[in-house]
Each structure stands twice: as structure tokens, then as C-alpha cells.
Amino acid sequence: MKTVIYPGTFDPLTTGHLDLIRRSSENFPHIVVAVAGSTHKRPLFTLEERVEMARLAVRGLPQAGKIEVETFEGLLVDYMRSRKATIALRGLRAISDFDYEFQQAQMNRKLYSAYEIIYMMPDERYTYVSSSLVKEVAALGGDVSDLVPPEIIPMLLAKFNRTP
């Protein structure tokens, strides 16, 4: 069975992330949403909160039985080896994402020759949605209801002392 690893910080998981998870689960037998533990991004949410958000969001998907949420530390390729996985999934929203993703893919392939990557573009409704923008909108009191799955809204607003 081919396992596809979808790595990220998911801080928070957005509608764009969920779109890719849903669509990839329709095309692959097993998807692992791999939530990065150690990160230089200084996440707003703890690792445990990010895992909980991902699990809540994928629970309602039609293919939920094919989706697993786990954490990983260190290099993605080491985690992939431990899972005997060779395929990573990454989202591309804009041309600006490509340069970073291209460099990462080349380095990962150098470190793990079996590494393959699949890029997916989110539905056009989500091409502008990023975790960073979601946090900024929420912090400034904006409506995030179309930017994150409904299960995540209370957790996101609580971080900014707001109520749904």
C-alpha cells in the first residue's frame, strides 16, 4: 500500500490544507498528515493542539478511514524512511511557493534517493489562504469562517481572547 506523507506545521490547518487532504485521500490508499514538531516558525499552537485540530478536521471527511494524523521531529526524509514511504504531498498556491518547494524537494531527494513529491494546487477558492494570513485576520478581529474548518474556529479565536 502506497503511503503519501503530507507534512507541515498546520498552524492552524486551513481550508486549503483540508482541500488537499480530501482530494489526495480520493486518489491514494493511505494519507498521513505529518505535523512537524520542531520548527523554526514559532507556531501559535502547541504540537498537541495542531494534532488535535488536524484530527478534528479530517474526522468528517468521506475518506477519513484512509487518513492518519501523526507528529514527526527532525528531517522529513528520516520520518518517511521510518514509515517506509516514498511519496510526499505538498501544496502550491502561487509561483512564489515553487522556488522554496523546488529547493526542498531537491535536498530531500539528495538525502533520500527514493523520495518523490507530488504537488497539488488547492481549489481556486483557497489559493490565497495561508496559516500566516489566517492568524493575522483572526488577531485583528476579522472573519475566519471561510479560512479554517469550522471545528478549528473556537480554538483559533481563543488564542486571541475572542469568542465565536
Side-chain angles (χ1 to χ4, degrees), residues 9-127:
T9 52
F10 305 108
D11 184 47
L13 187 127
T14 69
T15 50
H17 294 131
L18 192 59
D19 176 57
L20 294 186
I21 294 166
R22 179 191 56 77
R23 290 176 33 230
S24 62
S25 70
E26 292 170 354
N27 292 291
F28 296 99
H30 186 221
I31 307 297
V32 177
V33 178
V35 183
S38 58
T39 176
H40 64 279
K41 292 184 179 182
R42 292 190 171 147
L44 174 66
F45 293 94
T46 67
L47 178 60
E48 294 77 19
E49 289 170 327
R50 291 181 282 132
V51 167
E52 179 184 356
M53 285 188 287
R55 287 182 176 150
L56 285 171
V58 302
R59 183 175 58 191
L61 294 178
Q63 303 288 335
K66 297 168 64 173
I67 304 165
E68 185 179 353
V69 178
E70 282 193 351
T71 64
F72 78 98
E73 297 279 342
L75 291 173
L76 171 62
V77 293
D78 290 340
Y79 173 72
M80 291 179 67
R81 274 190 199 97
S82 75
R83 292 297 312 247
K84 296 181 175 45
T86 59
I87 302 171
L89 169 69
R90 295 293 292 165
L92 291 177
R93 294 168 304 185
I95 294 292
S96 56
D97 291 341
F98 180 78
D99 185 50
Y100 173 79
E101 293 295 340
F102 179 79
Q103 290 176 38
Q104 288 290 334
Q106 295 297 4
M107 179 56 74
N108 286 336
R109 185 168 290 135
K110 172 140 181 61
L111 297 172
Y112 181 35
S113 63
Y115 179 86
E116 292 293 342
I117 188 150
I118 295 174
Y119 295 107
M120 290 180 71
M121 292 177 284
D123 185 285
E124 65 186 32
R125 295 173 292 174
Y126 311 123
T127 56

